[in-house]
Amino acid sequence: MRDEREKWTRLRIRFTGGVFILLFAITIARAFYLQIYDHDRFAKLAEKQYLKVVQLTPYRGTIYDSTNSAFAVTIEMDSLYADPHNIQDIPGTAAALSPILGIPKDDIEKKIRANKGFVWLQRRLEPDIAARVKALNLAGLGFVKEPKRFYPNAEIASNVIGFTGLDPDGLEGIEKKFNGTLLGDTGYMLTERDALGRDIDTKDVVIQKASKGENIVLTIDKNIQYITEKELAKAVINSRAKDGIAIVMEPQTGKILAMADYPTYNPNAVSKASPSDIKNKAITDAFEPGSTFKVFLISAALEEKAISANDSFYCEGGSYRIGNRTIHDTHKHGMLSVSDILKESSNIGAAKIGARLGADRLYSYLREFGFGEKTGVELPGESSGYMRNKSQWYGIDLATISFGQGVSVNALQLATAISAVANGGVLMQPYIVDRIFDNDGNIVQQSEPVARRTIISPAIAKIMAKMMEGVAAEGGTGTEASVAGYKVAGKTGTAQKADPVTHGYSVDKRIGSFAGFVPADNPRLTIYIVIDEPKTSPYGGVVAAPAFSAIANQVLRYLRVAPTQPLKGNKDVIEVKQNVNKPQTDDMVAEEEDETPADGQVLNGLVMANFRGMSMRRVLQIMGKSGLNIKVIGSGRVVDQNPPPGHKISPTDRVWVRLAPSA
C-alpha cells in the first residue's frame, strides 16, 4: 500500500513538473513571438499609445518653362504652434500674438486652453510676421518649417500652370493634372501623450522632413508666353471685348509654345480671381469657329477631287436661298475662284463647295482633322466640342457647317487642325509637357512628337498654303495679319454666338478670330487668336488679325527666323524709353509700359541699349518695339549683357542679356 502511494506521488510530481515545463515553453515561445517575430507591429502599436503624429505638408516639385525658368516653386515658411503645458500666462500670450497674427485674442486663448499639448496657431507665416513673433521670445511657442507654393512670374501662364490649395493638392492646370507626380511624401512631427491619451510635451519633437516630388518641364517658352499675353491683352482691351484666347504652336511637332487667356489672374492671390478668369478657356470653352472652317472644307474638297484649284463658283450676288433659309455674304460677289472664295470669305461659295463634296465626305474629313473629339493635351477640363453625326444633318446643315456654323470647337482643336495644313497634311498630337525628372536629375518621362494620322497630301497642303496667303495679302479679309519680311498664310473667322434665351443666334454678339501660320513657305509657328464679343468690330480681320501680326513679328525675331521677303520702309530708328534715375519696380508689381524718359536714348537697330537693372518684362518690351533679337537667360533683373551698351551690333554677334534674382 505504501509503495502504491509513493508511486502515485511520483506520478503527480512528474505531471506537475511537465505542466510547468509546458507552460514555461509556451511562455518562451510567446515571448519570442512578441519580442522578435512580431516586434515591429507591436512597437508601432505601443508608439501609437504614447506618441501623436502631426502631419506636415509635403513638398511639391518645380514646374519649369522650356528655358528652365521656374513657373512654380516651393518655398519654406515658418508655421507657428503652441505647447499649452509650457505657457504660464495664456491671456498675456494671446494678447501679445493677436495684433501680429491678426486673430482675435479670445480665439487664440481658446485654442491654447484646449486640452492639448500641441496646437497650430497659424500655418505658413509671412517672413516679417514670423520675425515679429520670434522677437517676442514667448515660452511655449515653437516654429516648424513648412512648404508653400509660390509662382514667381505671377500672371504669366497662370491659366496653364494652375494653383494649389492649402493641403496642398493641385486644383487647376498642370498642378491638378500632375498632382501625383509633383506631390512629394508627407513629413511629420511627434508629440508625447500620457496614459489617458493627452498631449504632454512638444519640447523634444522628432521631425521627419517631407520629401519633394518630381519636376516638370513644359514646352511653354516664358518669353513667347509673355509676348502672346501682352498682345492678346491689347487686342481684347482695344476691341472692348469680353475676353480672348491665343495659342502659339510648332506645326511640325505639335509642341505648344504659348497658351494665353485674357483676363487672367495671379495664382499667388487666387482668392481675388473670378472663376471665369481661372479657367483655361483655350481648352475648356467650345464655340462656333466661323469662316476659319473653310480651310478644312476646301482642303477636303481638293483632296477628294470634288473640285480643282482652278474651279469657279457663282456667288449669287451676295444672297443664296437653300430651302426656306437664305445665306448671305458680307459683300456681293458674282463668279469667284476657289482661291477667291477663301480670300473674300464667301459663305455662298463655301456652301456650294460643301454641296459638291457631300455630307459624308465633309463629316469624315472634319473628324479626321480632330473635331468632335478631345485633343488629349495634358491639361484638365478639355471640351470635345460638338459636331453632330452626319445622320443628324438636315436641310441647310451641310451648307452652314461648310462655313463653320452649327458646329463647335475648342481653340486648341482648331490650332492643331491648322497646323496639319501647315506641316504638309499630318495631324500632330499637341503636347505641353516636355519632360519629367526626379530630384537626382534622372529623366522619368520624355515627350516626343506623335503623328496621329495623315489627312491630306503634301501637294494639297501646299496649294492650301498658297491660297491662304491671299487672305493676308492686299484685298484679303486678313491684311492686318501681315508681317513685314515674312509670308503669312491665314484665315479670318467671324461667328455669331448662340443665344441661350432664344435658342437661336444672338443679334449682336460675335466671335472674331484669325488662324494662320508663318512663314507660309516654311512654317515655324501656328498662331490662333480668338476675340470674344468685341464691341468695336465683329470681324476677325479687324480685331484678331493685328494680334496675330504683332505676336508673329516678335516671336519670329526672338527665334531668330530670318526674313524671307524684302522689308519695306525704314524701321531701324526707335526711341528706347529708359529712365536711368528711376528705380525699376518688380515686374510682378508694375507693368512698366508707360515709363517716361528722363534720359532718352536712340537705338538705330544696330546699337545695343543699356539693359542693366531692367526686368524681364521691360527687356521684352524693348525687343518688341526695336526688333532687336535678344536671347534672354535666367529671371529677375538684368545683371549682364552682350554686347555692352552703345556697342554696334553686327549680324554675327551673339546678343544676350542675363538676369538674376534681386538680392
Side-chain angles (χ1 to χ4, degrees):
M1 181 69 71
R2 182 179 178 182
D3 291 341
E4 191 70 23
R5 285 198 301 270
E6 288 178 354
K7 178 181 177 181
W8 281 107
T9 300
R10 285 195 297 271
L11 285 173
R12 285 197 299 270
I13 290 171
R14 288 173 183 170
F15 177 77
T16 303
V19 170
F20 274 106
I21 290 171
L22 178 62
L23 291 174
F24 184 72
I26 291 172
T27 303
I28 294 295
R30 184 62 176 168
F32 176 83
Y33 176 80
L34 293 175
Q35 296 185 35
I36 306 224
Y37 182 78
D38 210 14
H39 170 270
D40 291 344
R41 184 170 73 88
F42 284 100
K44 288 178 181 177
L45 288 173
E47 283 184 0
K48 286 183 179 179
Q49 291 181 347
Y50 70 86
L51 292 178
K52 176 184 177 182
V53 176
V54 179
Q55 288 192 344
L56 301 178
T57 307
Y59 284 66
R60 295 178 73 84
T62 304
I63 301 175
Y64 297 94
D65 85 329
S66 62
T67 68
N68 291 322
S69 177
F71 271 138
V73 298
T74 297
I75 58 176
E76 282 193 334
M77 302 188 77
D78 285 309
S79 287
L80 174 65
Y81 68 87
D83 174 9
H85 296 292
N86 290 320
I87 300 177
Q88 295 181 352
D89 182 8
I90 292 178
T93 299
L97 291 175
S98 177
I100 299 176
L101 301 181
I103 302 174
K105 172 182 173 295
D106 292 344
D107 290 353
I108 297 175
E109 190 172 338
K110 185 178 179 181
K111 279 187 177 183
I112 297 175
R113 289 191 183 280
N115 186 24
K116 296 180 180 179
F118 174 92
V119 60
W120 288 116
L121 293 182
Q122 197 166 85
R123 310 285 288 271
R124 303 178 190 87
L125 297 172
E126 295 297 326
D128 60 326
I129 301 295
R132 290 172 62 189
V133 174
K134 289 176 182 178
L136 295 175
N137 199 26
L138 295 172
L141 301 183
F143 292 89
V144 175
K145 293 289 185 183
E146 283 199 294
K148 181 180 180 181
R149 206 58 163 166
F150 179 66
Y151 303 91
N153 295 293
E155 292 89 352
I156 296 179
S158 60
N159 298 92
V160 171
I161 305 304
F163 58 91
T164 64
L166 292 176
D167 40 11
D169 285 331
L171 300 180
E172 287 291 342
I174 292 292
E175 295 276 33
K176 179 178 180 179
K177 183 70 174 181
F178 290 88
N179 187 59
T181 300
L182 290 163
L183 198 61
D185 292 329
T186 303
Y188 59 88
M189 61 189 296
L190 304 176
T191 64
E192 292 186 358
R193 298 191 292 192
D194 63 17
L196 297 177
R198 296 173 299 189
D199 296 317
I200 57 176
D201 196 11
T202 58
K203 183 180 294 183
D204 298 315
V205 293
V206 178
I207 300 174
Q208 176 168 314
K209 292 193 69 174
S211 65
K212 186 181 177 185
E214 292 171 343
N215 309 286
I216 294 177
V217 179
L218 302 182
T219 60
I220 297 286
D221 183 311
K222 184 175 73 172
N223 301 322
I224 297 175
Q225 180 74 24
Y226 170 71
I227 291 167
T228 303
E229 290 185 10
K230 177 186 67 172
E231 297 303 334
L232 176 65
K234 285 182 183 177
V236 172
I237 292 169
N238 290 342
S239 62
R240 302 200 304 278
K242 178 183 175 184
D243 50 48
I245 301 167
I247 295 175
V248 182
M249 295 178 66
E250 280 187 359
Q252 308 295 340
T253 64
K255 185 182 294 186
I256 299 171
L257 303 179
M259 180 180 281
D261 291 303
Y262 185 86
T264 185
Y265 72 103
N266 184 348
N268 295 309
V270 71
S271 60
K272 299 178 181 178
S274 70
S276 175
D277 293 347
I278 289 171
K279 281 199 309 179
N280 185 354
K281 300 181 187 69
I283 61 168
T284 62
D285 286 14
F287 52 89
E288 292 196 354
S291 292
T292 50
F293 238 44
K294 292 169 185 170
V295 171
F296 314 115
L297 164 76
I298 296 173
S299 296
L302 290 172
E303 186 69 30
E304 287 294 301
K305 296 182 173 56
I307 62 171
S308 74
N310 297 321
D311 284 350
S312 294
F313 291 83
Y314 179 58
C315 293
E316 308 289 341
S319 181
Y320 181 47
R321 192 167 183 83
I322 299 178
N324 61 351
R325 296 278 299 277
T326 302
I327 295 172
H328 297 281
D329 279 343
T330 304
H331 302 288
K332 296 180 180 180
H333 300 292
M335 292 297 294
L336 288 178
S337 66
V338 173
S339 180
D340 284 338
I341 287 172
L342 193 68
K343 180 177 180 178
E344 301 287 350
S345 200
S346 169
N347 291 339
I348 295 170
K352 291 193 172 185
I353 293 174
R356 183 87 63 90
L357 180 63
D360 287 350
R361 289 188 291 183
L362 176 58
Y363 176 81
S364 176
Y365 271 87
L366 292 180
R367 294 289 298 186
E368 286 288 291
F369 273 110
F371 300 113
E373 65 180 19
K374 296 179 181 180
T375 66
V377 70
E378 315 97 308
L379 288 167
E382 182 180 11
S383 164
S384 61
Y386 177 70
M387 188 170 71
R388 286 171 293 157
N389 190 282
K390 61 180 180 296
S391 63
Q392 297 175 306
W393 292 11
Y394 303 106
I396 201 172
D397 286 343
L398 173 58
T400 57
I401 289 172
S402 294
F403 52 82
Q405 188 173 300
V407 60
S408 69
V409 304
N410 72 49
L412 184 58
Q413 283 177 329
L414 200 134
T416 305
I418 287 289
S419 291
V421 177
N423 68 28
V426 180
L427 187 73
M428 300 300 296
Q429 172 65 48
Y431 66 102
I432 202 164
V433 173
D434 180 72
R435 62 187 181 276
I436 300 173
F437 66 94
D438 63 23
N439 291 297
D440 294 323
N442 302 311
I443 301 295
V444 176
Q445 176 184 316
Q446 177 70 61
S447 300
E448 299 291 343
V450 175
R452 295 176 63 187
R453 52 186 171 264
T454 299
I455 309 167
I456 57 176
S457 66
I460 296 301
K462 191 173 182 179
I463 292 171
M464 284 306 305
K466 196 67 180 175
M467 287 185 180
M468 291 168 71
E469 283 183 41
V471 174
E474 192 67 34
T477 56
T479 55
E480 291 294 319
S482 63
V483 181
Y486 306 90
K487 291 181 179 179
V488 170
K491 183 68 190 80
T492 55
T494 304
Q496 291 175 286
K497 292 188 70 173
D499 190 322
V501 177
T502 64
H503 301 289
Y505 285 100
S506 171
V507 176
D508 57 351
K509 293 180 180 179
R510 301 286 191 275
I511 293 177
S513 62
F514 189 91
F517 47 90
V518 62
D521 43 4
N522 183 24
R524 292 288 302 276
L525 303 172
T526 295
I527 303 174
Y528 184 40
I529 311 293
V530 181
I531 306 298
D532 187 15
E533 296 185 21
K535 301 294 189 299
T536 56
S537 170
Y539 300 114
V542 176
V543 296
F548 176 100
S549 175
I551 293 169
N553 180 53
Q554 294 171 70
V555 175
L556 288 170
R557 293 176 183 275
Y558 169 71
L559 296 176
R560 297 181 178 274
V561 178
T564 57
Q565 301 291 304
L567 294 169
K568 297 179 181 180
N570 181 14
K571 296 186 177 181
D572 288 339
V573 179
I574 185 165
E575 183 183 37
V576 179
K577 297 178 179 179
Q578 180 190 358
N579 188 338
V580 295
N581 298 316
K582 176 183 174 183
Q584 298 284 327
T585 53
D586 190 274
D587 46 351
M588 288 188 293
V589 179
E591 288 289 336
E592 300 181 322
E593 290 278 3
D594 299 317
E595 289 183 279
T596 54
D599 182 12
Q601 291 179 266
V602 175
L603 181 70
N604 69 2
L606 295 177
V607 177
M608 189 67 166
N610 182 6
F611 290 99
R612 285 186 176 274
M614 289 189 185
S615 66
M616 165 88 71
R617 194 163 290 194
R618 186 66 181 135
V619 171
L620 293 174
Q621 288 169 4
I622 293 173
M623 284 173 60
K625 292 176 182 177
S626 67
L628 268 178
N629 247 340
I630 304 172
K631 183 177 182 181
V632 180
I633 306 167
S635 61
R637 298 200 172 277
V638 178
V639 295
D640 195 11
Q641 66 178 75
N642 184 70
H647 187 278
K648 289 189 176 181
I649 303 172
S650 71
T652 59
D653 280 343
R654 292 179 67 251
V655 184
W656 52 263
V657 293
R658 180 176 289 110
L659 297 89
S662 301

